Amino acid sequence: MNTLRNRRGILGAAGVLGFLVLVEALGRLGVIDPGVLPLVSAVLVTTVQIAFEPAFLAEVANTLLACLAGLAIAVATAVPAGLLLGTVSVVERSVRPLVEFLRPIPSVSLIPLAMFLFTESQDAKIALIVYTCSWPLLINTMYGLSDVDPLAKQTLRSFGFRGLSVVLRVSLPSAAPFIFTGIRIALSVTLIVAVSVELIAGGGGGIGNFLSLASGANRIDRMLAGTIWAGLIGLAANALFMAGERRLFHWHQGATS
């Protein structure tokens, strides 16, 4: 498994490197106007340079703080809600239509409403992150509960355990890999939502604000460099959670796939 994973990583890196070399060559040959799209080498130099700029690091910290705060609130609310819906069928049947109606609504379309309801752009950003992250957490928690072995619950009930005790001792541990996967999926969209709000709302700081300022100053190299860092941060966060998922839930088939 590790050999296959390493081989995929090497092939992926080779593909990215080949694409960058091709774009650099097209720029050097004049096929792509460097005035419109800077050379790859120039963008990479800028990418390294802005990593040492305090102003850029402050913008990154602003975005990450909102992402972590929104994700924490979503976990604290959506996971208990998923446990409730996944264990009490009457509540699940009553709330399911509302969930199915709200879940497909794109969070970006709610940015004007969030800006109207919250005077601070940071609060609006966190609120939209909570809204977006809640759905994968809620659905994964409910799905995880449906995968619990009924025999395990019946065995515990035979020893006199009821209700919440069964949920905490059997259902929650069994659903933990699915919940963790939901957190990883939610984490991947937090950065997208945060940067989108920063780009559209403006004035609240963050990576999106950095991109807007770079675009306004016609510094395409800085704009692309900021985008690269946003992608690297998302990639690193996803890789970290996948590694944690494999380590914590190696006994679960879905964690090793």
Side-chain angles (χ1 to χ4, degrees), residues 156-172:
L156 201 62
R157 291 191 182 102
S158 67
F159 285 96
F161 292 95
R162 293 291 183 273
L164 186 60
S165 296
V166 176
V167 172
L168 295 178
R169 287 176 168 82
V170 175
S171 300
L172 184 58

Side-chain angles (χ1 to χ4, degrees), residues 142-231:
M142 295 172 61
Y143 183 79
L145 291 175
S146 66
D147 194 59
V148 177
D149 185 5
L151 181 60
K153 293 191 290 185
Q154 293 174 6
T155 301
L156 201 62
R157 291 191 182 102
S158 67
F159 285 96
F161 292 95
R162 293 291 183 273
L164 186 60
S165 296
V166 176
V167 172
L168 295 178
R169 287 176 168 82
V170 175
S171 300
L172 184 58
S174 298
F178 298 92
I179 296 174
F180 200 90
T181 300
I183 295 175
R184 179 166 58 84
I185 296 172
L187 181 65
S188 66
V189 300
T190 57
L191 195 61
I192 298 174
V193 175
V195 174
S196 298
V197 175
E198 292 162 357
L199 282 169
I200 297 175
I207 297 176
N209 182 63
F210 175 86
L211 298 179
S212 295
L213 294 176
S215 178
N218 200 28
R219 289 294 307 272
I220 307 302
D221 59 328
R222 291 179 65 84
M223 185 178 68
L224 292 175
T227 303
I228 290 173
W229 275 116

Side-chain angles (χ1 to χ4, degrees), residues 6 24 33-34 40 44-45 60 67 105 107 117 124 141 156 171 176 185 230-231 239 243:
N6 293 335
E24 174 77 12
D33 184 3
V40 171
L44 294 179
V45 169
V60 172
C67 290
I105 298 177
S107 57
L117 295 176
T141 302
L156 201 62
S171 300
I185 296 172

Side-chain angles (χ1 to χ4, degrees), residues 10-34:
I10 294 173
L11 291 176
V16 172
L17 180 61
F19 173 76
L20 295 178
V21 170
L22 175 61
V23 176
E24 174 77 12
L26 292 176
R28 296 284 182 181
L29 295 173
V31 178
I32 298 177
D33 184 3

Side-chain angles (χ1 to χ4, degrees), residues 130-152:
V130 172
Y131 172 83
T132 307
C133 292
S134 294
W135 303 120
L137 288 167
L138 180 70
I139 299 302
N140 270 48
T141 302
M142 295 172 61
Y143 183 79
L145 291 175
S146 66
D147 194 59
V148 177
D149 185 5
L151 181 60

